[in-house]
Amino acid sequence: MKAIEVDLDGRSYVYPIGSRIEIDYIHSVERSPVVEILVANESGFYAVEMRWMDFGAGLPEDVQNLTDGFYVKRTRDYLGREFSYWFIPINHANVTVDGKPVLLDSNGGRKVVVRFRVRRVPLASLMIGRW
């Protein structure tokens, strides 16, 4: 079956296609919270929403609305079948998939790379959540 694979420090976790991925972190330049929401189908990953609190380096300027103090932009930007995020300790990054934590506070204060990809996995792997 095709599934979402999330690799963190050499440990791979698998989730069903369509799972909601939420990545929240402190922007390393602006020092304000950012939240990115992703989903995946069999063709790859899509960024569907971004929330941020101020404008500056690398942050969008095209706001669609304001919710709970966050600027919000909804989109459907294709990210590909595989990509990575890297975080440094000052990002205090958290990654959840369907509300379940994968990464909490950048894993204890060191640089962390989180890799995402859509791939085929045995059905049993998807059922236990590990590959």
Side-chain angles (χ1 to χ4, degrees):
M1 294 196 67
K2 286 209 176 171
I4 297 168
E5 179 184 44
V6 181
D7 182 86
L8 173 65
D9 290 336
R11 288 172 291 167
S12 292
Y13 304 92
V14 293
Y15 302 92
I17 291 290
S19 294
R20 175 188 164 105
I21 301 164
E22 186 168 314
I23 302 163
D24 68 83
Y25 57 93
I26 302 299
H27 192 278
S28 36
V29 175
E30 301 306 322
R31 305 302 305 141
S32 60
V34 176
V35 179
E36 299 183 33
I37 310 293
L38 314 175
V39 295
N41 62 28
E42 290 193 7
S43 68
F45 292 90
Y46 292 84
V48 295
E49 184 176 305
M50 184 171 185
R51 291 178 260 166
W52 67 102
M53 294 192 110
D54 59 27
F55 297 99
L59 293 168
E61 295 179 3
D62 52 336
V63 175
Q64 293 173 335
N65 65 46
L66 184 64
T67 304
D68 298 327
F70 281 88
Y71 299 106
V72 179
K73 177 182 179 181
R74 289 184 180 83
T75 184
R76 185 111 176 119
D77 294 335
Y78 182 67
L79 303 174
R81 296 179 58 78
E82 185 172 339
F83 66 95
S84 298
Y85 274 82
W86 60 269
F87 300 105
I88 55 178
I90 64 171
N91 294 132
H92 297 285
N94 296 290
V95 177
T96 61
V97 179
D98 289 337
K100 297 175 189 147
V102 175
L103 172 68
L104 295 174
D105 197 13
S106 299
N107 238 24
R110 60 188 173 82
K111 180 181 174 187
V112 175
V113 177
V114 184
R115 292 179 180 83
F116 297 88
R117 68 180 174 164
V118 172
R119 64 173 294 184
R120 285 194 179 281
V121 297
L123 179 59
S125 297
L126 189 56
M127 296 179 83
I128 63 171
R130 288 296 305 258
W131 172 240

